[in-house]
Amino acid sequence: MGLLAGVLAVALLAPAPIAPEYVALGDSYASGAGAGSYVDGSCRRSSNAYPALHGREFPSFKFVACSGATTKSLKSQFRALTPNTTFVTITIGGNDLGFVDVLTTCTLNGDRTCTKRVATAVDFIHGQLPALLDTAYATIKEAAPRARLVVAGYPRLFTPADGCPTMSRVKRAALNDAADQLSDEIAKAAERAGARYVDVREAFADHGVCAAEPWINALVSPTSDSYHPTKAGQAAYFRALTSAGS
């Protein structure tokens, strides 16, 4: 066999390069609830969501994040993953600890009832959520072994402000503290999984509910958009994602 023939034979046997494929997983913070321009009503997928913005850079993009998702309900989303998937993002965990119930309780009740419900959520964050996150991330790694996994966290909901009509100071402090503890546990789980964690808390520091320029919705109609990032908030997620080298 001549040199040219040998080179051609090796080229024919070599696997074809994999085209970049991005799969976006997660809950309403990843689907874009609150950001408008919905392309899927039931899952509240928005064309303004950070995955949709990032997906423009990929020849293959699967946007399967869905409002209401928990670590245990991701099974249907995992079906989008293949051995050819090269990039995955996920925001998950808030619904596991009862995001909607926590905010509903704090909206409709006094400080004591609110802080008690938040304390229950915090217990869940440290007691049960780590194992749930570990399982979710491990499943992603198994289904898409070549993929780079990026975990995007959650912001604090409120920017400290005087005269905030949405929640009392006590409630806001409790909810922001819980958000910090949630973010810290997600960051630890991402590190255990060998994933990159994107912390968005500083990006939203001056843009929470009650800020002069909020990037998170207060209590709005429909209520499913309440306490979720606006279009500007999703753009902030996208900037944090890209600045982290993702």
Side-chain angles (χ1 to χ4, degrees):
M1 179 181 294
L3 177 61
L4 179 59
V7 170
L8 290 174
V10 171
L12 289 173
L13 291 173
I18 298 174
E21 178 182 272
Y22 171 26
V23 178
L25 310 171
D27 57 21
S28 53
Y29 270 63
S31 72
S37 299
Y38 300 113
V39 296
D40 182 302
S42 60
C43 280
R44 309 295 280 172
R45 294 189 191 111
S46 169
S47 60
N48 298 319
Y50 77 81
L53 299 176
H54 204 41
R56 297 169 186 170
E57 303 174 11
F58 289 80
S60 177
F61 171 49
K62 299 176 183 178
F63 190 11
V64 295
C66 191
S67 181
T70 68
T71 55
K72 292 183 178 180
S73 70
L74 285 172
K75 186 175 180 179
S76 61
Q77 296 186 33
F78 288 153
R79 289 198 286 267
L81 299 168
T82 74
N84 290 331
T85 302
T86 57
F87 184 65
V88 178
T89 60
I90 187 169
T91 300
I92 200 71
N95 289 322
D96 290 81
L97 54 92
F99 176 83
V100 173
D101 184 61
V102 170
L103 268 299
T104 300
T105 299
C106 288
T107 299
L108 300 178
N109 296 277
D111 291 351
R112 181 175 296 182
T113 302
C114 172
T115 54
K116 182 177 180 181
R117 179 62 184 89
V118 171
T120 299
V122 168
D123 287 343
F124 185 94
I125 289 170
H126 299 298
Q128 299 181 54
L129 187 60
L132 294 172
L133 293 172
D134 288 346
T135 299
Y137 300 158
T139 302
I140 294 169
K141 291 282 190 177
E142 182 177 359
R146 300 181 184 181
R148 184 159 49 99
L149 174 59
V150 175
V151 176
Y154 297 94
R156 302 179 190 95
L157 293 178
F158 299 93
T159 293
D162 293 328
C164 179
T166 304
M167 295 274 187
S168 72
R169 186 180 297 274
V170 170
K171 293 177 182 179
R172 284 180 280 146
L175 289 164
N176 279 353
D177 181 64
D180 279 335
Q181 295 186 63
L182 173 60
S183 293
D184 291 343
E185 285 295 350
I186 292 174
K188 292 174 186 176
E191 183 177 8
R192 290 194 297 272
R196 177 185 291 275
Y197 175 69
V198 176
D199 193 333
V200 297
R201 285 175 286 181
E202 287 306 310
F204 280 83
D206 297 321
H207 298 283
V209 177
C210 291
E213 185 183 350
W215 292 348
I216 298 176
N217 290 305
L219 188 61
V220 296
S221 180
T223 55
S224 56
D225 286 355
S226 300
Y227 301 109
H228 284 78
T230 63
K231 178 180 178 180
Q234 286 292 336
Y237 258 95
F238 172 62
R239 290 193 298 273
L241 196 72
T242 53
S243 65
S246 305

